[in-house]
Amino acid sequence: MPVQQQDNTGKTALLAAASKGRVETVDTLLKHGADPNARDHMGVAGLHAVLALREQGEARGEVPRGTRMQLIKLLLAHGADIGQGDALAFSPLHVAAERGLAAEAELLCSAGADPEAPNGYGQSAKEVAEGSVSAQEVKALLKAMREGQRHAKEFTRAARTADHVAGKLGRGAHSGNVERGAATVPTNSETGTAALVMSTADEIAQSTHGKMDGDDASLRAPAAIVNDAEKLQWAKDSNLDPLGVA
């Protein structure tokens, strides 16, 4: 069966695999060109299907713990539309909010999901959560979404910093993924959102020792820098961030 072929409900093989939590199958299909944004007749796409999964330890849970996060990351890495709505204009974030999935909501916001975007009823993710889950779960969701937005903001700044450094070195931009929904946004790490700066620092450290004179020498990463936290601090101390990230 061609990877894009649909059944009588509009489901592709990818959507069917995602709705059953088949991580390896989804990975294989994506590598063979399956469209992560293909929707069935109800407008459900891969991210929606994944967020509907119930994991072991949850009511009627069937798939292993961590399956949703694995699949979300896979789909985002292959270009899944973070704001795509179903037939009722529920985005993946609306679905996460409706189910009280704080960790998933944080990941989606880290990748650029907008908590204020309305669904077909004019509801934001917060409003959907308030009508669906407990007050405690709403509180956890709001905290998670704020944290995700913070990650997204830091990542965007880090990407611009990497572009700034690359420009000084006469190299190509590093932040293309940000424009396509930040599919590679790292999370759950204080320094993770500066991955592009660190990558650039690695590149500079490897290619500029002994090759730069005058002002450009300030771009040289000391050989002693060995871990991500030190790379990030070096970038900041060297005033490589055009936006002045503290």
Side-chain angles (χ1 to χ4, degrees):
M1 175 188 293
V3 293
Q4 308 299 8
Q5 186 172 329
Q6 296 175 299
D7 64 17
N8 58 3
T9 68
K11 278 187 178 179
T12 60
L14 176 67
L15 190 50
S19 66
K20 294 179 181 179
R22 306 282 175 79
V23 178
E24 291 185 4
T25 303
V26 168
D27 186 30
T28 299
L29 288 167
L30 287 169
K31 288 176 179 177
H32 283 79
D35 181 1
N37 297 311
R39 305 194 299 173
D40 66 15
H41 297 332
M42 296 299 295
V44 172
L47 287 174
H48 298 94
V50 167
L51 288 160
L53 291 171
R54 294 185 179 276
E55 297 182 349
Q56 292 170 1
E58 301 172 347
R60 301 187 302 281
E62 297 179 351
V63 301
R65 287 181 178 273
T67 297
R68 283 191 301 261
M69 294 291 277
Q70 289 183 66
L71 286 170
I72 290 170
K73 290 175 182 178
L74 264 178
L75 290 165
L76 289 177
H78 285 82
D81 184 351
I82 200 71
Q84 187 175 31
D86 62 14
L88 297 176
F90 271 64
S91 69
L93 184 59
H94 284 114
V95 179
E98 186 176 41
R99 296 201 52 212
L101 303 176
E104 288 81 349
E106 180 177 340
L107 177 57
L108 292 170
C109 287
S110 293
D114 181 3
E116 299 302 321
N119 60 16
Y121 301 103
Q123 298 169 311
S124 66
K126 174 187 175 183
E127 290 168 330
V128 168
E130 289 172 337
S132 306
V133 297
S134 69
Q136 184 176 358
E137 288 174 304
V138 171
K139 184 177 180 180
L141 275 165
L142 293 178
K143 180 179 179 181
M145 290 191 291
R146 285 195 298 270
E147 187 68 6
Q149 287 182 296
R150 183 179 71 81
H151 284 308
K153 185 176 181 180
E154 289 178 352
F155 184 79
T156 300
R157 287 179 171 177
R160 291 181 182 178
T161 298
D163 282 349
H164 177 66
V165 175
K168 284 192 174 184
L169 293 173
R171 301 178 186 182
H174 287 63
S175 63
N177 285 329
V178 174
E179 302 302 325
R180 295 192 294 274
T184 58
V185 172
T187 57
N188 301 320
S189 166
E190 287 301 312
T191 58
T193 50
L196 289 179
V197 174
M198 296 170 198
S199 175
T200 303
D202 277 336
E203 188 177 350
I204 294 169
Q206 293 169 8
S207 64
T208 62
H209 285 301
K211 297 180 182 179
M212 305 180 82
D213 299 312
D215 293 339
D216 283 343
S218 66
L219 293 177
R220 190 179 307 146
I225 290 180
V226 295
N227 61 49
D228 287 349
E230 290 176 347
K231 292 171 195 169
L232 176 58
Q233 192 58 53
W234 167 76
K236 292 177 179 177
D237 292 345
S238 300
N239 295 317
L240 297 182
D241 188 346
L243 299 182
V245 178

